[in-house]
């Protein structure tokens, strides 16, 4: 069943019991993203300590896909290095843009491989990407270009 | 009035034979765009296969045929909405352009005092407008310094008329209101608004995008100054809409888009313009689309707008009852059939509309989810989005049953 | 490059089987609007029969299919004109709207200095423009107090470039020029105009209404900032056109029409807008029309734009020779095939174009007569109107013979 | 042959040898009319003496139909009463609007019955009407409403 691939157990679990939800202090930057077609919103904060993503906190309204995606993002990126987070970001974006043709790398994406089914639903891809776009935006503000070089 | 034979109607809509995700298509998104009968699809095809040419510019036979078809469509549309003459129908690309066209007629330097707008002047809308009847006025207010004001809504989803006299006052230049809300289903009391606007000398624009397709509309009887509507929601093609306006008023308006066919004479140093409707139809118009829209209003008239309204009322009553019986469903908008159309927005407790829509889609049931281009209405009712089912002449009771069954499945997935 | 097989091409155009006044249809009015191949007519029909839904708003299957078809068409059109990305293609209702959209980006208070326009600033056009590339600038000049200037023409029907440096100068904000004149057939030297505009920091808009359908156009190589074109002249449906613009520049432009689908978020107190192209596509777009236009560019690409250009060059050479051999015919515009397209305007001594066109129509030959929405060009050449024959990929040499035979009959009636 | 009905001998004669062409003095009012689709133009003057249309003079560019129509208008209206001219105007407009279904009254329209064939060509009806519209306009200016009463 196609629908079961979309609403995988992992996704529904994260949706019902989101991890790391809530906006926390301290943080280095915040980004607010909206999906204009459906009105889903997420506010996301990052706290960077040296090379490490010390915290990702978020708050938002949206469907199961966008909410679960934020929860999994938190799990996946918090505590890792900034570089690692960008690698995971890229892998996730690639998976979502792959229209179901991209084989996800479980070593990089862990629980997020559950989103492979979402890639088959073009209308939902934006939901899954919403927190990730906000993350990238917040990170760019927290770590200015000069510093990265 | 003849009753509507829904089985016969359905045979005219080829898409209704389709399956979606292995289930028969249950199209409950007509408020977004309607499906097209064979008669409309064929009219467009025949036009291209036999009569295609540009209009108003040629003496040749094809050009004459195309012009007659195009102007004939204008006459059909005019008759359909009860316009005094066909010259009161301006073809646009959609409702949105029709509304923007009116908005651009208001300027600080307008010759006609009714169209002169500046700081201190007011435009009045409502909190239940589609974005297409909000943003043009926000942009106009920015251009001119005029103030935008709006009616609030009652919890039932009706206009809060308690501040009528305050909101529509001597400073009001224009009242622009949706006739039939695309989110709430509410049908607004045009007579009350028009009467008050007349008292203070304000113009009235009705956004008829949802009313013209679904209920008998007589623009002359309504008493407004402008009515905007759109072809694709009334069985017609995409790419065409219309603005009805009182001729005298259209004639007082400056051109909007400039270009071919709207001019009387052009010199490098200056141009003069045609009377309406040509003045507002710059460039090659949507010719085949007008022909298709003409076929659409023929079809609607043959079925009968009264019969369509009665059919939709029956569906709405049935659906409202069925949804009332489901404890986790909350209808946003009027919950009885008085002054409401066949568009029902609702939320399902604890489940986001996106997820509701997705699971219904899996069952073949096509509903719209989101803010329905009426975000302020969502904000007013404290919801980020809703699920919306909207019906039309081809909708059946058993399709509403499919919706209700689908909602059970939604609950199961998210249990 | 494969040569064009005109017999095979003609089989794809159902209308070409028609008779007009008892004679086979000889359609020589493609510059006005083109005929449509079966492939385009079928794509539109199939869309309505199988995939019709509104776009960008639904999670349901039909909505997803319609959105993919619509955005897929944008990608096809982008590739067809060599745009960097599909986001550089804004769908409009026709060329005329595309040009007006750009005109409305210029205001006294614009944030971007390139779009700031007021007294002292200049806009430059030419004496060979279509009204759609004259009137929007006259209206803009009126709104802002800017000055409209224009290139004159040589007797041969070319731009008079002797005043290039004077006309395009430090005060020039925009140069808006037709790429391929719809009256004269002249193809203008874009490189010269762009180079001069770049020197003085002016933007360049090309009216590609006639060029995009008939010659290979690569917007990136042309170096202009905007190119406007229209679907119905390039085998596509009516009701759709496009504006190509450099993304960075589109992104610097304010919205034009306000409404659904062009917003990011709407509150009663103010709204924010989407990036291009959505920012400029308010309301329901011409969905089925985009699908048809996508099929049209597929068709043109399959035949090959080089092959079409070569075919038309051959027809033009033949027609220019044939008309040169008729002593009472005077061609208005270039009389050789260098830098000219397959559109030939002419007068017949002592006989008004209306009468020429009428008698040709009796023979089945469909030509356009009048000022072709380019009255200033007529004035420049001292004629009230012309007769114009314009060719396309389906035109044959024997149709040009029919035109010449028709002209003999014209002479006889008025002998 | 349909075309022969359009280009009747009378029409071609008037076109080739127009009657009363040229703008003359004295005149009471002048009107300039343009057909925007094709650019045809006519300037027409009327001179009224009491109840009589003393002169109709005109100048214009246009096709055989509009030129012949002006010439026949001159023949038909000059020297008659104002009232008669309006009756003829009405009969002519009715004929032109009749899509070939109106039987023209030769007693009223005389040579102008030759235009019966033009009514079958919607694109040409405007050509035939051009000088007549200009006449009506000029007359209205020459004879103000109050006076007519
Ligand atoms: C050169 C030129 N520019 C602009 C236009 C206007 O195109 P449209 O009528 O499709 O807006 C045309 C065609 O009519 C044209 O030939
Ligand atoms: C109430 C209302 N107004 C305006 C519109 C805009 O119509 P269109 O998108 O055809 O311009 C719609 C539909 O989307 C609508 O429902």
């Amino acid at each position: 069943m196609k629908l079961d691939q979309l609403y995988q157990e992992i996704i529904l679990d994260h949706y019902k019991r989101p991890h790391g939800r809530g906006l926390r202090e301290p943080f280095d930057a915040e980004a607010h993203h909206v999906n204009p077609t459906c009105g889903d919103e997420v506010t996301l904060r990052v706290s960077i300590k040296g090379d490490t993503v010390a915290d990702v906190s978020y708050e938002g309204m949206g469907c199961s896909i966008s909410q679960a995606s934020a929860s999994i993002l938190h799990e996946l990126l918090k505590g890792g290095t900034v570089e690692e987070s960008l690698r995971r970001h890229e892998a996730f974006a690639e998976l979502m843009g792959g229209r179901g043709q991209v084989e996800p790398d479980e070593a990089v994406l862990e629980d997020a491989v559950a989103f492979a089914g979402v890639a088959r639903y073009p209308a939902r891809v934006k939901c899954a990407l919403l927190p990730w776009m906000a993350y990238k935006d917040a990170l760019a503000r927290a770590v200015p270009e000069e510093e990265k070089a | 009035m003849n009753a509507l034979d829904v089985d016969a109607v359905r045979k005219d809509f080829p898409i209704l034979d389709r399956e979606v995700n292995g289930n028969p298509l249950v199209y409950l998104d007509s408020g977004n765009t309607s499906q097209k009968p064979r008669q409309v699809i064929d009219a467009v095809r025949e036009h291209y296969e036999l009569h295609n040419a540009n209009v108003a510019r040629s003496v040749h036979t094809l050009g004459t045929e195309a012009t007659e078809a195009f102007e004939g469509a204008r006459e059909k549309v005019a008759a359909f909405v009860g316009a005094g003459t066909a010259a009161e129908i301006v073809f646009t690309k959609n409702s949105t352009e029709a509304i923007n066209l009116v908005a651009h007629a208001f300027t600080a330097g307008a010759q006609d005092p009714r169209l002169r707008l500046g700081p201190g002047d007011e435009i009045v809308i409502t909190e239940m407008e589609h974005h297409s009847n909000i943003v043009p006025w926000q942009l106009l207010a920015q251009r001119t310094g005029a103030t935008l004001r709006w009616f609030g809504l009652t919890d039932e989803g009706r206009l809060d008329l308690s501040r009528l006299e305050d909101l529509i006052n001597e400073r009001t230049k224009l009242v622009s209101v949706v006739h039939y809300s695309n989110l709430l289903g509410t049908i607004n009391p045009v007579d009350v608004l028009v009467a008050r606007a007349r008292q203070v000398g304000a113009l009235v624009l009705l956004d008829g995008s949802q009313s013209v397709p679904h209920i008998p509309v007589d623009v002359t009887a309504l008493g407004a100054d402008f009515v905007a509507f759109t072809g694709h929601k009334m069985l017609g093609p995409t790419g065409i809409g219309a603005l009805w306006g009182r001729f005298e008023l259209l004639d007082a308006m400056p051109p909007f888009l400039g270009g071919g066919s709207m001019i009387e004479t052009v010199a490098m140093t200056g141009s003069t313009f045609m009377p309406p409707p040509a003045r507002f139809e710059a460039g090659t118009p949507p010719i085949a689309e007008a022909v298709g829209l003409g076929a659409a209003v023929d079809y609607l008239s043959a079925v009968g707008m009264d019969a369509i309204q009665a059919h939709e009322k029956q569906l709405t009553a049935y659906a409202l009852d069925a949804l009332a019986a489901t404890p986790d469903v909350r209808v946003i908008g009027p919950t009885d059939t008085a002054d409401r159309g066949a568009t029902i927005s609702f939320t399902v407790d604890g489940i986001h509309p996106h997820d509701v829509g997705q699971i219904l889609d899996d069952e073949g049931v096509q509903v719209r989810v989101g803010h329905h281009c009426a975000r302020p209405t969502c904000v007013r009712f404290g919801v980020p989005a809703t699920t919306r089912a909207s019906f039309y002449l081809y909708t059946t009771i058993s399709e509403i049953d499919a919706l209700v069954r689908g909602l059970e499945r939604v609950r199961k997935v998210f249990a």
Side-chain angles (χ1 to χ4, degrees), chain A, chain B:
Chain A
M1 265 272 24
K2 233 173 127 202
L3 197 68
D4 296 341
Q5 287 179 14
L6 178 66
Y7 292 120
Q8 299 219 3
E9 250 349 277
I10 302 180
I11 293 183
L12 292 177
D13 279 352
H14 275 275
Y15 175 52
K16 290 177 198 157
R17 279 168 298 274
H19 301 195
R21 197 185 167 95
L23 293 172
R24 287 179 294 278
E25 311 261 353
F27 66 99
D28 297 298
E30 181 178 294
H32 176 75
H33 274 219
V34 176
N35 180 342
T37 20
C38 63
D40 280 7
E41 296 186 19
V42 70
T43 306
L44 185 145
R45 292 176 175 178
V46 292
S47 163
I48 308 291
K49 294 258 172 348
D51 278 352
T52 306
V53 180
D55 195 12
V56 182
S57 69
Y58 64 94
E59 198 49 82
M61 318 187 291
C63 64
S64 59
I65 303 298
S66 70
Q67 298 300 299
S69 177
S71 172
I72 288 180
L73 178 151
H74 167 88
E75 282 290 291
L76 223 56
L77 305 192
K78 186 184 160 177
T81 67
V82 168
E83 211 192 304
E84 194 177 87
S85 83
L86 286 171
R87 222 169 35 240
R88 287 182 153 152
H89 183 284
E90 200 181 316
F92 190 76
E94 197 196 330
L95 178 63
M96 287 299 101
R99 300 180 154 262
Q101 306 306 312
V102 171
E103 196 55 56
D105 181 347
E106 192 148 0
V108 178
L109 288 175
E110 299 178 18
D111 269 10
V113 297
F115 282 84
V118 178
R120 299 241 178 93
Y121 292 83
R124 306 306 293 280
V125 165
K126 280 189 212 157
C127 309
L129 284 175
L130 187 68
W132 293 80
M133 292 301 168
Y135 174 75
K136 194 152 188 199
D137 206 5
L139 185 68
R141 290 180 210 176
V143 186
E145 277 303 319
E146 315 77 89
E147 273 180 50
K148 272 192 252 166
Chain B
M1 189 183 84
N2 292 321
L4 185 151
D5 178 351
V6 70
D7 291 332
V9 164
R10 288 178 69 84
K11 291 211 177 71
D12 289 329
F13 290 77
I15 206 170
L16 298 180
D17 291 336
R18 231 196 97 149
E19 297 207 331
V20 165
N21 293 321
N23 295 298
L25 168 67
V26 175
Y27 187 75
L28 300 181
D29 197 17
S30 293
N32 200 355
T33 199
S34 71
Q35 294 304 339
K36 322 300 174 200
R38 207 169 21 77
Q39 289 82 343
V40 168
I41 300 171
D42 286 352
V44 172
R45 183 175 51 69
E46 263 179 52
H47 173 79
Y48 285 132
E49 288 183 356
L50 292 173
H51 311 293
N52 177 65
N54 215 324
V55 296
R57 302 175 171 184
S58 322
V59 300
H60 58 58
T61 300
L62 289 187
T64 305
E65 290 174 8
T67 303
E68 295 197 335
F70 179 67
E71 294 301 334
R74 195 192 303 278
E75 275 163 29
K76 287 179 187 185
V77 171
F80 183 71
V81 297
T85 74
E88 294 189 330
I89 297 292
V90 177
F91 282 131
T92 60
K93 66 174 172 177
N94 52 26
S95 273
T96 304
E97 187 195 354
I99 297 170
N100 279 272
L101 192 170
V102 175
H104 276 267
F106 289 87
T107 53
Q111 293 212 330
D112 192 299
R114 293 170 298 180
L115 302 171
R116 211 173 293 144
L117 196 75
D121 292 328
E122 297 177 0
I123 303 156
V124 178
I125 60 174
T126 84
E127 224 175 342
M128 66 166 90
E129 299 308 320
H130 188 278
H131 294 161
S132 292
N133 198 27
I134 300 176
V135 182
W137 310 115
Q138 291 179 335
L139 294 174
L140 174 62
Q142 270 171 31
R143 281 198 299 277
T144 59
T147 303
L148 185 63
R149 301 184 68 189
W150 54 88
F151 282 92
L153 309 183
T154 68
D155 291 342
E156 251 275 281
R158 304 273 175 201
L159 281 191
D160 175 3
L161 292 171
S162 64
R163 293 177 56 216
L164 178 66
E165 320 253 301
D166 165 42
L167 280 166
I168 304 182
N169 62 50
E170 308 295 329
R171 295 182 302 278
T172 310
K173 283 305 191 71
L174 177 77
V175 180
S176 190
V177 173
V178 70
H179 189 189
Y180 162 176
S181 155
N182 71 307
L183 192 146
L184 302 168
T186 312
I187 298 181
N188 283 316
V190 176
D191 50 349
V192 176
L193 297 166
V194 166
R196 176 63 188 156
R198 290 288 167 261
Q199 279 177 1
V200 301
L203 297 173
V204 178
L205 186 156
L206 279 189
D207 176 357
S209 305
Q210 296 289 345
S211 57
V212 172
H214 293 277
I215 58 178
V217 166
D218 181 322
V219 292
T220 313
L222 279 171
D225 297 289
F226 302 105
V227 178
F229 52 103
T230 197
H232 67 94
K233 292 193 204 284
M234 51 194 285
L235 311 187
T238 50
I240 187 160
L243 175 71
W244 167 81
R246 288 194 295 106
F247 188 83
E248 169 274 320
L249 193 57
L250 289 176
D251 201 29
M253 284 161 56
F256 174 37
L257 304 184
S261 309
M262 52 73 76
I263 56 90
E264 195 176 68
T265 187
V266 171
M268 294 307 287
T269 48
S271 303
T272 56
F273 307 111
M274 292 280 279
R279 187 185 301 162
F280 305 108
E281 296 180 353
T284 302
I287 304 168
E289 291 73 14
V291 170
L293 182 56
V297 303
D298 281 349
Y299 189 90
L300 289 170
S301 300
V303 176
M305 288 308 294
D306 287 327
I308 292 172
Q309 185 177 24
H311 175 69
E312 292 188 8
K313 192 157 204 139
Q314 212 183 337
L315 294 168
T316 306
Y318 186 87
L320 285 170
D321 280 353
L323 293 173
T326 24
D328 56 352
V329 166
R330 171 184 162 216
V331 169
I332 313 276
T335 49
D336 60 70
T337 61
D339 291 328
R340 84 147 13 257
T343 291
I344 305 178
S345 275
F346 59 88
T347 58
V348 182
D349 282 354
I351 309 178
H352 191 277
H354 252 192
D355 294 314
V356 175
Q358 190 77 58
I359 294 163
L360 289 175
D361 179 60
D362 202 57
E363 305 279 314
V365 179
Q366 316 283 284
V367 294
R368 186 169 170 193
V369 298
H371 53 48
H372 315 292
C373 296
R375 193 175 165 276
T377 317
C378 288
V379 172
R380 162 64 181 80
F381 287 95
V383 293
T386 75
T387 301
R388 184 188 75 179
S390 54
F391 316 138
Y392 210 175
L393 68 169
Y394 40 68
T395 309
T396 63
I397 292 284
S398 70
E399 291 184 308
I400 295 170
D401 293 337
L403 167 66
V404 173
R405 269 198 317 276
L407 290 175
E408 276 160 35
R409 170 115 189 269
V410 169
R411 245 167 256 127
K412 245 180 256 158
V413 171
F414 280 87

